[in-house]
Amino acid sequence: MIKVIQVIFTTYSIIVFFTLLLILGVFIVIPLSISPAGGKISFLLIRIWARTWSFLSGIRYEFHGRELVDRTQPYIFIFNHRSFLDAAIIPLAIPQQVRALGKKELSKIPFFGWVVGKVAIWVDRTDTESRRKSINRLVSFLNKGISAVVAPEGTRNDSEATLLPFKSGAFRLAVETAIPILPIAMIGADSIMKKGSLLISPGKIKIYFSKPITSPAPSETAVSELSEKCRARLEMLLTENGK
């Protein structure tokens, strides 16, 4: 009986998600299509979309340390990737306009791929050239003062491990651009949508922000040292706050 109720609730939540997208989608796309400066308006609408869907789906948020984000400073945000819900969490959590890497497969979802494609950089993780081009695009946005969001694990973590091994891309990008990295710990999303399941339950997601980590000067060991430092910081946030 509980499973049936959860299926009904999930169906309702998905319908709400795409209904809101259909209502707001064009208005999200238009400002960015007119001018890069329109990104602030688009992100305001994206947050309205995500906040409204979360409220109607019984998903609540608790933010800790968000005051550590200097809204005038671009960052490379990294986070622990444990749920498909992260796409809704990120624009609500980060008080800035951002660009994020997204799996190319998501671009094929009708209308969703078109709308989200305006603020995401689609990447084929199996293609070296695609990864290179996506990083170059992130650099161009960082140079304009727009922050980037990267999941350093490279894929969703369905294991019992706190974090999967980190890929080097985000840290190489930070060293090359001298942009600080700001780790974010997301706790609870995988309880709302459990691994191996597409069913959604109401619940609370807690988001913890770290102090920014300054990128070291380029050297042979700079990328690996930065990666290790960021991993330790993110792991500490997760373990200290109940993950």
Side-chain angles (χ1 to χ4, degrees):
M1 184 64 180
I2 294 176
K3 186 72 172 287
V4 172
I5 293 173
Q6 197 174 14
V7 169
I8 293 171
F9 181 81
T10 300
T11 302
Y12 151 78
S13 182
I14 291 172
I15 290 172
V16 170
F17 182 92
F18 281 101
T19 299
L20 290 169
L21 180 63
L22 287 171
I23 293 171
L24 294 172
V26 172
F27 301 102
I28 291 170
V29 168
I30 288 175
L32 274 170
S33 299
I34 295 173
S35 165
K40 291 183 179 180
I41 297 173
S42 293
F43 265 84
L44 173 63
L45 294 172
I46 288 170
R47 291 186 184 104
I48 291 172
W49 166 32
R51 177 67 72 181
T52 305
W53 172 75
S54 297
F55 174 77
L56 295 175
S57 297
I59 300 172
R60 294 163 292 128
Y61 299 94
E62 190 176 288
F63 301 105
H64 300 269
R66 192 155 53 169
E67 67 278 1
L68 296 171
V69 180
D70 178 352
R71 301 188 185 203
T72 66
Q73 158 77 53
Y75 298 97
I76 299 170
F77 292 94
I78 63 168
F79 67 100
N80 58 307
H81 187 21
R82 295 198 69 97
S83 173
F84 289 124
L85 297 178
D86 293 338
I89 299 170
I90 286 169
L92 287 176
I94 299 174
Q96 291 182 323
Q97 182 185 169
V98 298
R99 296 294 183 273
L101 295 180
K103 291 194 297 186
K104 186 180 178 181
E105 292 80 1
L106 296 177
S107 68
K108 298 176 183 177
I109 300 175
F111 199 65
F112 174 87
W114 177 63
V115 174
V116 176
K118 289 295 181 180
V119 293
I121 298 170
W122 302 123
V123 56
D124 180 354
R125 293 193 174 101
T126 65
D127 186 331
T128 302
E129 182 63 14
S130 176
R131 294 199 303 270
R132 185 189 65 78
K133 287 181 178 179
S134 67
I135 293 298
N136 287 342
R137 288 194 64 195
L138 279 182
V139 170
S140 70
F141 285 113
L142 287 167
N143 289 337
K144 295 173 185 175
I146 297 174
S147 293
V149 180
V150 180
E153 295 165 286
T155 188
R156 189 163 59 102
N157 181 6
D158 288 336
S159 73
E160 297 302 323
T162 303
L163 293 168
L164 296 176
F166 278 7
K167 309 292 185 184
S168 64
F171 312 104
R172 193 176 304 282
L173 182 62
V175 170
E176 291 176 355
T177 60
I179 300 290
I181 287 186
L182 201 153
I184 304 174
M186 299 184 182
I187 299 174
D190 52 345
S191 296
I192 291 173
M193 181 181 280
K194 297 183 183 300
K195 68 178 183 179
S197 173
L198 294 177
L199 297 179
I200 299 171
S201 301
K204 180 187 285 187
I205 298 171
K206 297 180 180 181
I207 297 99
Y208 294 84
F209 291 79
S210 162
K211 289 183 179 179
I213 298 173
T214 303
S215 302
S219 71
E220 289 185 2
T221 61
V223 172
S224 60
E225 289 174 358
L226 180 60
S227 176
E228 289 172 10
K229 185 174 183 179
C230 291
R231 181 184 178 87
R233 181 77 61 84
L234 185 52
E235 201 161 36
M236 182 183 69
L237 280 176
L238 291 166
T239 54
E240 287 186 348
N241 295 292
K243 181 58 187 172

